[in-house]
Amino acid sequence: VQLQASGGGSVQAGGSLRIACVVSGDTSRSYNVMWFRRAPGKERDWLGSISWGGSRTDYADSVKGRFTISKDNTKKSYDLQMNNLRPEDTAVYYCAADCTPHPFPLCDYKGQGTLVTVSS
């Protein structure tokens, strides 16, 4: 199983971006997926999760109401919609699958990250 995050880029504060986490390899099943980010010089941040069926999502307080995780069965992707972005959201964003529950998640699969830069 491979995960690849794409869709990052640069945006001004208040703007929006959508990142896709595309699953390849074993696409015959669904996965619970988590989104994380790591800013330069900082610890990893857990952003949120989506259940394998897509019916349940959970979010960190820092992004609740601004970020939304969804599942696209057609594209085999788990997307992160980010609205009202702030400069402090600047980080490398990455997804991971088949994780033990937050707050100490261990994940079987981890994707390469994509950089999001928010300017003021």
Side-chain angles (χ1 to χ4, degrees):
V1 176
Q2 294 84 42
L3 306 175
Q4 179 64 55
S6 63
S10 298
V11 65
Q12 288 191 325
S16 299
L17 278 175
R18 188 178 185 91
I19 301 174
C21 174
V22 178
V23 178
S24 60
D26 185 359
T27 58
S28 65
R29 51 164 291 219
S30 295
Y31 300 84
N32 72 71
V33 169
M34 292 185 173
W35 279 96
F36 301 87
R37 69 186 178 190
R38 188 186 293 274
K42 294 189 177 181
E43 298 284 327
R44 180 186 75 173
D45 274 345
W46 174 82
L47 300 176
S49 61
I50 185 167
S51 61
W52 68 270
S55 61
R56 173 173 175 158
T57 53
D58 295 288
Y59 299 94
D61 288 343
S62 60
V63 303
K64 195 174 296 182
R66 298 190 299 126
F67 290 10
T68 303
I69 300 172
S70 60
K71 179 184 176 187
D72 187 324
N73 290 320
T74 301
K75 297 179 181 177
K76 303 294 183 184
S77 68
Y78 299 80
D79 298 348
L80 178 66
Q81 175 67 41
M82 304 181 290
N83 298 327
N84 192 21
L85 284 161
R86 306 165 179 168
E88 55 264 38
D89 293 320
T90 295
V92 174
Y93 286 69
Y94 62 95
C95 55
D98 280 4
C99 305
T100 58
H102 177 69
F104 303 108
L106 296 174
C107 303
D108 288 341
Y109 309 104
K110 176 183 169 183
Q112 296 294 320
T114 185
L115 177 63
V116 172
T117 303
V118 185
S119 57
S120 57

